[in-house]
Amino acid sequence: MKIVVASANPAKIRAVQDALAQVFNGKTLQCSGQSTDSGVPAQPMNSEETLQGALNRLQAVAAASPGADYYVAIEAGLDGDCSFAWIVIAHQDRISKTRSASLPIPPAALMALQQGEELGDVIDLMFAQHNIKQQGGAIAMLTNHLLTRSGVYQQAIILAMIPFIQPQLFTT
C-alpha cells in the first residue's frame, strides 16, 4: 500500500507510518514524504488558516504524486492560546479530517508567535534545543517528554481514518 505524506518532516512521516501500521496491521506499507507548500503563513494563527494549509498541502501532494492509496497532510497552527494540528487524509475520492489534541502555549512563546516567529524556533530558544520540530516537538519539551509530537499526531491520524476503517457508516 502506497502512502504519501505532504511533508519532508521526519516526525510527521514517522507518525503517519506508525499510525497506519496499526490501522493496516500486517499489510506492507510504503510510506514516503514530499515537501509541499501550505499556501498559508509558516505559523498559521487560527484554526481556519491551519485547515486551509493542510488542504492545500493535500492537494499539492496528490497532484505531484499520483497513484498513491492514501495521501496525508498535517498542518500545525494556533487556536487562541493553544497549538494543535489539522490532519487531512484522502483515499480514492474521499477526504477525512480531524484535529489533534491541543497544548497550551506559554504566554512568552505566544507573544513571540504573534510577532511572526514560528513555534519550533521559539521552543528551541526557550529550552536551548535545535530543530525540536523535527524531533519531539514543542509538546515533548512542554510535557517533560511525557508526550511527543509524533505520538499525538498518531492518535489524530487514526481518528481521521475512521471513515476509511468503517466506510459503511459514512455513506451518503
Side-chain angles (χ1 to χ4, degrees):
M1 183 173 303
K2 183 177 178 184
I3 298 135
V4 182
V5 182
S7 177
N9 183 324
K12 291 181 179 181
I13 297 167
R14 184 173 46 255
V16 172
Q17 172 72 40
D18 292 348
L20 294 186
Q22 291 178 62
V23 171
F24 299 113
N25 187 18
K27 290 192 177 181
T28 301
L29 305 179
Q30 177 191 356
C31 188
S32 62
Q34 182 172 336
S35 182
T36 58
D37 185 29
S38 71
V40 299
Q43 180 60 70
M45 297 300 287
N46 59 55
S47 180
E48 295 78 19
E49 194 170 64
T50 306
L51 177 57
Q52 189 60 58
L55 291 168
N56 291 347
R57 287 185 191 277
L58 188 72
Q59 183 178 31
V61 78
S65 299
D69 296 294
Y70 288 88
Y71 297 97
V72 182
I74 303 170
E75 185 73 16
L78 293 182
D79 192 3
D81 60 356
C82 291
S83 178
F84 77 102
W86 272 106
I87 312 298
V88 183
I89 301 176
H91 172 62
Q92 297 172 344
D93 293 331
R94 301 186 83 178
I95 292 179
S96 179
K97 63 185 186 302
T98 193
R99 289 176 53 139
S100 72
S102 298
L103 63 139
I105 301 298
L110 195 57
M111 286 178 50
L113 298 177
Q114 291 167 342
Q115 294 173 0
E117 295 186 48
E118 288 186 54
L119 181 60
D121 298 334
V122 172
I123 296 298
D124 279 349
L125 287 173
M126 290 179 86
F127 289 92
Q129 297 292 308
H130 176 71
N131 202 17
I132 195 66
K133 67 183 175 183
Q134 291 193 357
Q135 300 167 42
I139 195 165
M141 301 311 297
L142 294 170
T143 65
N144 290 331
H145 299 278
L146 295 173
L147 298 172
T148 64
R149 182 181 196 189
S150 184
V152 169
Y153 286 172
Q154 283 178 48
Q155 182 183 55
I157 293 161
I158 292 170
L159 293 172
M161 287 296 294
I162 290 172
F164 308 120
I165 295 169
Q166 303 288 345
Q168 72 282 3
L169 301 176
F170 290 85
T171 59
T172 53

